[in-house]
Amino acid sequence: MYVNFQDCECNGHSNRCSYIDFVNVVTCVSCKHNTRGQNCQYCRLGYYRNPELPLEDENICLACECNTEGSTSPYCSESGLCSCKSGTTGRSCDSCLPGYTWRGDGAGCTENMCDSERLICQNGGTCIDFQRCICPEKFTGPLCERNVCLKNKKCQENSDGSSSSSSSLTSQLYLLSLGLITCIF
């Protein structure tokens, strides 16, 4: 049963309402401007309320605009914050946390395998696209931290006859304690 427009309290977002007899409630029908609820007082899923505008304003509900690559859902919270994937930040999940890089291939932000600050390629390795180290031929490992050894477990030597490690003995001992160097020279 529909009631008169004058009886509707839809905050200007509908001019139709219905009386629900068994609960004695008047509810708005066909809320506009991306609103919903008994009095068109809430925003539809995928929208959030603009706190700077009065409830009657037709621009009260703003689109979430969650970044599809960086967020876990296209829907945001009531305050407009999107739920971000690991390593991603920002209201709409369109920025990376430190130590992460935006990929733009659907993955959002991925953790840096190497960089110029904390995960540095060792032994002359070169970091490529923050994701891998290109190692000199006598080193291997994610950060070029392991010496390549011959089958007889004797480490290769540089062309000048010196040891192939360009890092200090302290660094070698540290990497050895972590199990990252497979042979000692």
Side-chain angles (χ1 to χ4, degrees), residues 57-79:
D57 193 294
E58 66 181 44
N59 296 312
I60 189 66
C61 294
L62 302 171
C64 290
E65 298 179 348
C66 297
N67 185 291
T68 57
E69 293 183 22
S71 63
T72 60
S73 168
Y75 308 116
C76 59
S77 68
E78 290 180 7
S79 62

